[in-house]
């Protein structure tokens, strides 16, 4: 039985799907209104958010790890994080109680950042300083970017005694990987999640990097995995969950016929096949 575990949050594919959906609506548009509906979410909204963004034109939408980025022609970038339950509502006719930021474009589109739990946040920084943003400055390479290679991952894992799954979730090793997709990629590469990172043979690392890319690409193509509150900006639910190999499938049969096991590591559910993954 597939289960949406309570600890699951929007991960890289969900954020990438969100950014692509927003780009269809916002790219090239003038920001006519950028209006916080409350003082804060997880953190206070920037005091000058409205002043620095109203009237600006959006020139690019992109992503860093699990953060969405909206660049403007004034040299500023809006950073947003969806937290545990955040999503953008497109063409929001009426504001809902948990719509914390209203964005209106010169073209007449109306968007609201909805987050019932308020674990998300919005920040505003000069675009030229994005790489030095405290969170980003500590991050490793993007898993879908050219710098994430088997050689780079082998170097990051060398000599490490921590479990390989924990290392892949470490944003300093690789940026943006989350619990669902690490479980899936480790199964695809045949690597036990508890194996020390430094003990993973190079041949399996050579399989792991393309497995990570394949899992993420498939999840993005499917619109992400719908877990609890997550939905795309158009309101549609992602459907990658139907293709999960191990995640959420405790007690079900792996493709090899072995029962999939679930255990809890540092408060996170880990799913794996004890036969396929060594």
């Amino acid at each position: 039985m597939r289960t949406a575990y309570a600890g699951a949050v929007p991960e890289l594919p969900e954020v990438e799907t969100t950014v692509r959906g927003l780009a269809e609506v916002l790219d090239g548009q003038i920001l006519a209104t950028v209006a916080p509906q409350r003082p804060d979410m997880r953190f206070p909204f920037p005091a000058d958010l409205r002043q620095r963004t109203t009237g600006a034109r959006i020139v690019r939408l992109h992503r860093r790890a699990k953060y969405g980025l909206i660049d403007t022609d004034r040299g500023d970038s809006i950073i947003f994080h969806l937290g545990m339950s955040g999503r953008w509502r497109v063409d929001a006719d009426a504001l809902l109680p948990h719509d914390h930021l209203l964005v209106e474009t010169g073209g007449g589109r109306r968007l609201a950042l909805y987050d019932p739990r308020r674990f998300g946040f919005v920040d505003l920084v000069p675009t030229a300083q994005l790489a030095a943003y405290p969170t980003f400055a500590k991050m490793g390479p993007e898993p879908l970017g050219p710098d994430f290679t088997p050689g780079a991952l082998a170097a990051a894992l060398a000599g490490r005694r921590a479990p390989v799954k924990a290392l892949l979730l470490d944003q300093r090793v690789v940026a943006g990987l989350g619990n669902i997709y690490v479980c899936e990629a480790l199964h695809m590469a045949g690597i036990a999640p508890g194996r020390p990172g430094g003990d993973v043979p190079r041949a399996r690392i050579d399989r792991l990097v393309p497995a990570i890319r394949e899992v993420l690409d498939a999840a993005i193509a499917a619109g992400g995995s719908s877990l609890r509150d997550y939905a795309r900006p158009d309101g549609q639910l992602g459907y990658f969950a139907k293709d999960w190999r191990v995640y959420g499938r405790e007690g079900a049969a792996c493709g090899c016929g072995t029962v999939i096991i679930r255990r809890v590591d540092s408060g996170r559910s880990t799913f794996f096949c004890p036969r396929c993954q060594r």
Side-chain angles (χ1 to χ4, degrees):
M1 178 179 180
R2 299 174 190 265
T3 305
Y5 284 83
V9 301
E11 296 191 12
L12 186 154
E14 288 77 49
V15 178
E16 179 68 26
T17 299
T18 294
V19 168
R20 294 184 185 186
L22 291 176
E24 295 177 3
V25 179
L26 294 178
D27 196 21
Q29 292 293 309
I30 297 292
L31 293 170
T33 302
V34 180
Q37 302 300 296
R38 57 172 298 115
D40 59 9
M41 291 173 65
R42 183 178 178 185
F43 307 116
F45 283 102
D48 55 355
L49 177 64
R50 187 193 301 256
Q51 177 184 356
R52 287 168 59 185
T53 57
T54 300
R57 183 181 297 275
I58 295 173
V59 296
R60 185 187 179 200
L61 292 98
H62 54 122
R63 176 192 54 75
R64 179 66 167 126
K66 302 176 189 178
Y67 298 79
L69 304 171
I70 304 173
D71 300 345
T72 75
D73 64 354
R74 291 183 180 171
D76 289 320
S77 292
I78 299 170
I79 301 174
F80 68 85
H81 191 276
L82 296 175
M84 295 184 69
S85 59
R87 66 182 179 91
W88 286 92
R89 299 196 308 115
V90 176
D91 295 329
D93 293 331
L95 290 179
L96 301 177
H98 298 296
D99 286 335
H100 304 311
L101 180 68
L102 172 65
V103 174
E104 296 177 315
T105 72
R109 306 301 291 269
R110 200 165 189 254
L111 299 87
L113 180 55
Y114 175 86
D115 186 357
R117 300 188 195 179
R118 300 203 337 253
F119 283 112
F121 68 87
V122 172
D123 205 350
L124 183 67
V125 301
T127 304
Q129 297 177 20
L130 278 175
Y133 188 68
T135 302
F136 300 161
K138 303 173 184 177
M139 286 183 175
E142 285 284 325
L144 295 176
D147 295 333
F148 184 60
T149 63
L153 182 57
L157 298 182
R160 304 292 294 274
R161 303 309 302 166
V164 63
K165 183 194 171 193
L167 291 171
L168 291 174
L169 291 173
D170 185 338
Q171 302 297 290
R172 297 167 296 182
V173 173
V174 54
L177 291 185
N179 196 36
I180 297 172
Y181 303 106
V182 168
C183 286
E184 294 291 290
L186 287 172
H187 180 265
M188 185 178 291
I191 301 171
R195 185 167 189 162
D199 290 350
V200 179
R202 176 56 190 261
R204 294 197 185 187
I205 294 176
D206 288 344
R207 294 202 301 264
L208 177 58
V209 168
I212 289 170
R213 294 182 187 274
E214 182 176 342
V215 167
L216 293 177
D217 283 338
I220 291 167
S225 300
S226 294
L227 294 172
R228 297 190 65 154
D229 304 303
Y230 171 72
R232 292 181 288 184
D234 61 4
Q236 298 296 311
L237 300 177
Y239 55 88
F240 184 68
K242 70 181 181 61
D243 294 324
W244 286 343
R245 301 162 65 98
V246 289
Y247 189 86
R249 301 189 63 228
E250 175 187 12
C254 172
C256 73
T258 304
V259 172
I260 293 168
I261 292 174
R262 171 184 176 249
R263 72 171 184 232
V264 178
D265 298 316
S266 301
R268 290 172 168 159
S269 294
T270 297
F271 299 88
F272 65 100
C273 172
R275 179 179 179 185
C276 290
Q277 297 176 248
R278 304 273 180 184

